[in-house]
Coordinates of all heavy atoms in Angstrom, one line a residue:
L21 N -3.8 3.2 3.4 CA -5.3 2.8 3.2 C -5.8 3.4 1.9 O -6.7 2.8 1.3 CB -6.0 3.4 4.4 CG -7.5 3.0 4.6 CD1 -7.6 1.5 4.7 CD2 -8.1 3.6 5.8
A22 N -5.2 4.5 1.4 CA -5.7 5.1 0.2 C -5.5 4.1 -1.0 O -6.2 4.2 -2.0 CB -5.0 6.4 -0.1
V23 N -4.5 3.3 -0.9 CA -4.2 2.4 -2.1 C -4.7 1.0 -1.8 O -4.5 0.1 -2.7 CB -2.7 2.4 -2.4 CG1 -2.3 3.8 -2.8 CG2 -1.9 1.9 -1.3
H24 N -5.3 0.7 -0.7 CA -5.8 -0.6 -0.4 C -6.9 -1.0 -1.4 O -7.8 -0.3 -1.7 CB -6.5 -0.6 1.0 CG -7.3 -1.8 1.3 ND1 -6.8 -3.1 1.2 CD2 -8.6 -2.0 1.7 CE1 -7.7 -4.0 1.5 NE2 -8.8 -3.3 1.8
D25 N -6.8 -2.2 -1.9 CA -7.7 -2.8 -2.9 C -8.0 -4.2 -2.6 O -7.1 -5.1 -2.9 CB -7.1 -2.6 -4.3 CG -8.1 -3.1 -5.4 OD1 -9.2 -3.5 -5.1 OD2 -7.8 -3.0 -6.6
P26 N -9.1 -4.5 -2.0 CA -9.4 -5.9 -1.7 C -9.6 -6.8 -2.9 O -9.5 -8.1 -2.7 CB -10.7 -5.8 -0.9 CG -11.3 -4.6 -1.3 CD -10.2 -3.6 -1.6
A27 N -9.7 -6.3 -4.1 CA -9.8 -7.1 -5.3 C -8.4 -7.6 -5.7 O -8.4 -8.6 -6.5 CB -10.4 -6.3 -6.4
R28 N -7.4 -7.0 -5.3 CA -6.0 -7.5 -5.6 C -5.7 -8.8 -4.8 O -6.3 -9.0 -3.7 CB -5.0 -6.4 -5.3 CG -4.8 -5.4 -6.4 CD -3.5 -4.6 -6.2 NE -3.5 -3.9 -4.9 CZ -3.6 -2.6 -4.8 NH1 -3.8 -1.9 -5.9 NH2 -3.5 -2.0 -3.6
R29 N -4.7 -9.5 -5.2 CA -4.2 -10.6 -4.4 C -3.6 -10.1 -3.1 O -3.1 -8.9 -3.1 CB -3.1 -11.4 -5.2 CG -3.6 -12.2 -6.4 CD -2.5 -13.1 -6.9 NE -1.3 -12.3 -7.2 CZ -0.1 -12.9 -7.4 NH1 0.0 -14.2 -7.4 NH2 0.9 -12.2 -7.7
A30 N -3.8 -10.8 -2.1 CA -3.4 -10.3 -0.7 C -1.9 -9.9 -0.7 O -1.6 -8.8 -0.1 CB -3.6 -11.4 0.3
V31 N -1.0 -10.6 -1.3 CA 0.4 -10.3 -1.3 C 0.6 -8.9 -2.1 O 1.4 -8.1 -1.6 CB 1.3 -11.4 -1.9 CG1 0.9 -11.7 -3.3 CG2 2.7 -11.1 -1.6
D32 N -0.1 -8.8 -3.2 CA 0.1 -7.5 -3.9 C -0.5 -6.3 -3.2 O 0.1 -5.2 -3.2 CB -0.7 -7.6 -5.3 CG 0.0 -8.6 -6.2 OD1 1.2 -8.9 -6.0 OD2 -0.7 -9.2 -7.1
D33 N -1.6 -6.6 -2.5 CA -2.3 -5.5 -1.7 C -1.4 -5.0 -0.6 O -1.2 -3.8 -0.4 CB -3.6 -6.0 -1.2 CG -4.5 -4.8 -0.7 OD1 -4.4 -3.7 -1.2 OD2 -5.4 -5.1 0.1
G34 N -0.8 -6.0 0.1 CA 0.0 -5.7 1.3 C 1.3 -4.9 0.8 O 1.7 -4.0 1.4
Y35 N 1.9 -5.4 -0.3 CA 3.1 -4.8 -0.8 C 2.8 -3.3 -1.2 O 3.6 -2.4 -0.9 CB 3.7 -5.6 -2.0 CG 4.8 -4.9 -2.6 CD1 6.1 -4.9 -2.1 CD2 4.7 -4.2 -3.8 CE1 7.2 -4.3 -2.7 CE2 5.8 -3.6 -4.4 CZ 7.0 -3.6 -3.9 OH 8.1 -3.0 -4.4
T36 N 1.7 -3.1 -2.0 CA 1.3 -1.8 -2.5 C 1.1 -0.8 -1.3 O 1.5 0.3 -1.3 CB 0.1 -1.9 -3.3 OG1 0.3 -2.8 -4.4 CG2 -0.3 -0.5 -3.9
M37 N 0.4 -1.3 -0.3 CA 0.2 -0.5 0.9 C 1.5 -0.1 1.6 O 1.7 1.0 2.1 CB -0.8 -1.2 1.9 CG -2.2 -1.3 1.3 SD -3.3 -2.3 2.4 CE -3.5 -1.1 3.7
A38 N 2.4 -1.1 1.8 CA 3.6 -0.9 2.4 C 4.5 0.2 1.6 O 5.1 1.0 2.2 CB 4.4 -2.2 2.6
R39 N 4.5 0.0 0.3 CA 5.2 1.0 -0.5 C 4.7 2.4 -0.4 O 5.4 3.4 -0.3 CB 5.2 0.5 -2.0 CG 6.0 1.3 -2.9 CD 6.1 0.7 -4.3 NE 4.8 0.7 -4.9 CZ 4.6 0.2 -6.1 NH1 5.6 -0.3 -6.8 NH2 3.4 0.2 -6.6
A40 N 3.3 2.5 -0.4 CA 2.7 3.8 -0.2 C 3.0 4.4 1.2 O 3.3 5.6 1.3 CB 1.2 3.7 -0.4
A41 N 3.0 3.6 2.2 CA 3.4 4.1 3.5 C 4.8 4.6 3.6 O 5.1 5.6 4.1 CB 3.1 3.0 4.6
G42 N 5.7 3.8 3.0 CA 7.1 4.2 3.0 C 7.4 5.4 2.2 O 8.4 6.1 2.6
A43 N 6.6 5.7 1.2 CA 6.9 6.8 0.3 C 6.3 8.1 1.0 O 6.7 9.2 0.5 CB 6.3 6.6 -1.0
A44 N 5.5 8.0 2.0 CA 4.9 9.2 2.6 C 5.9 9.8 3.6 O 6.1 9.2 4.7 CB 3.6 8.8 3.3
R45 N 6.5 10.9 3.3 CA 7.3 11.6 4.3 C 6.4 12.2 5.4 O 5.4 12.7 5.1 CB 8.1 12.7 3.6 CG 9.0 12.2 2.5 CD 9.8 13.3 1.8 NE 9.1 14.3 1.2 CZ 8.6 14.2 0.0 NH1 8.7 13.1 -0.7 NH2 7.9 15.2 -0.6
H46 N 6.9 12.1 6.6 CA 6.0 12.5 7.7 C 6.8 13.1 8.9 O 8.0 12.9 9.0 CB 5.1 11.3 8.2 CG 5.9 10.3 8.9 ND1 6.0 10.2 10.3 CD2 6.7 9.2 8.4 CE1 6.8 9.1 10.6 NE2 7.2 8.5 9.5
G47 N 6.1 13.9 9.6 CA 6.7 14.5 10.8 C 5.6 15.0 11.8 O 4.4 14.7 11.5
S48 N 5.9 15.6 12.8 CA 4.9 16.1 13.8 C 5.3 17.4 14.4 O 6.5 17.8 14.3 CB 4.8 15.0 14.9 OG 6.0 14.9 15.6

């Protein structure tokens, strides 16, 4: 969500968000 930009083309926005999500290491 932090990199979501509605001004970008939809395909670019979705790809950028997916890449940011995948780069975030996570645990619980």
Side-chain angles (χ1 to χ4, degrees):
L21 191 57
V23 298
H24 167 57
D25 183 359
R28 280 196 297 254
R29 291 190 306 168
V31 63
D32 293 338
D33 196 26
Y35 175 77
T36 302
M37 293 175 69
R39 185 173 61 179
R45 302 184 295 278
H46 67 99
S48 63

